[in-house]
């Protein structure tokens, strides 16, 4: 079992910045992919950015050039630096961990954090 705890959401004006953090806890686990999805009211959950254990990164077109994802494998943590925020970035942001190997068993299904609200005002 892997538990994800997010922090860093909040309210910011358009053009501002926020930094999200996510830490995974779980004994003897190795996580392949960590990252962030978001869900705005009335919309489906969508990819924001993910990073593999080897450092391969994928950003959505909507955030490319504005957001930066980083990961600390030793701490099983992932951060998302969000710059030049605009009201379209308003959503609940969810941390994801996928491809977990724990005590020799591989779990392909994703684990999700509880979500953290990001609100960007005009």
């Amino acid at each position: 079992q892997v538990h994800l705890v997010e922090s860093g959401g909040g309210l910011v004006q358009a053009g501002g910045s926020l930094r999200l953090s996510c830490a995974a806890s779980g004994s003897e686990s190795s996580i392949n992919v960590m990252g962030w999805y978001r869900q705005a009211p009335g919309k489906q959950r969508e990819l924001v950015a993910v990073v593999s254990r080897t450092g391969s990164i994928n950003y959505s077109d909507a955030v490319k050039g504005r957001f930066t994802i980083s990961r600390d494998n030793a701490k099983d943590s992932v951060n998302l630096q969000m710059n030049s925020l605009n009201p379209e970035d308003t959503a609940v942001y969810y941390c994801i961990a996928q491809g977990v190997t724990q005590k020799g068993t591989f779990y392909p299904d994703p684990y999700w954090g509880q979500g953290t609200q990001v609100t960007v005002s005009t």
Side-chain angles (χ1 to χ4, degrees):
Q1 187 77 359
V2 172
H3 297 280
L4 302 174
V5 179
E6 301 130 331
S7 61
L11 173 65
V12 65
Q13 288 189 330
S17 299
L18 282 174
R19 183 178 177 86
L20 304 183
S21 296
C22 173
S25 62
S27 61
E28 301 178 27
S29 63
S30 174
I31 304 171
N32 183 21
V33 175
M34 296 190 74
W36 298 90
Y37 279 66
R38 68 186 182 186
Q39 187 167 17
K43 295 186 177 181
Q44 290 188 335
R45 192 172 297 189
E46 63 177 9
L47 169 74
V48 177
V50 292
V51 55
S52 73
R53 191 169 185 83
T54 59
S56 178
I57 293 174
N58 185 29
Y59 292 104
S60 71
D61 289 341
V63 308
K64 201 172 294 183
R66 300 186 298 122
F67 292 10
T68 302
I69 191 169
S70 60
R71 176 173 176 171
D72 186 333
N73 288 333
K75 297 180 179 179
D76 279 339
S77 65
V78 63
N79 299 311
L80 185 69
Q81 178 65 42
M82 305 186 293
N83 298 329
S84 302
L85 285 160
N86 58 62
E88 289 70 39
D89 295 316
T90 295
V92 178
Y93 284 68
Y94 295 91
C95 181
I96 182 175
Q98 188 164 20
V100 175
T101 300
Q102 193 169 39
K103 297 182 179 179
T105 300
F106 179 71
Y107 300 92
D109 292 336
Y111 292 88
W112 295 96
Q114 79 283 1
T116 184
Q117 178 70 47
V118 171
T119 303
V120 184
S121 64
T122 55

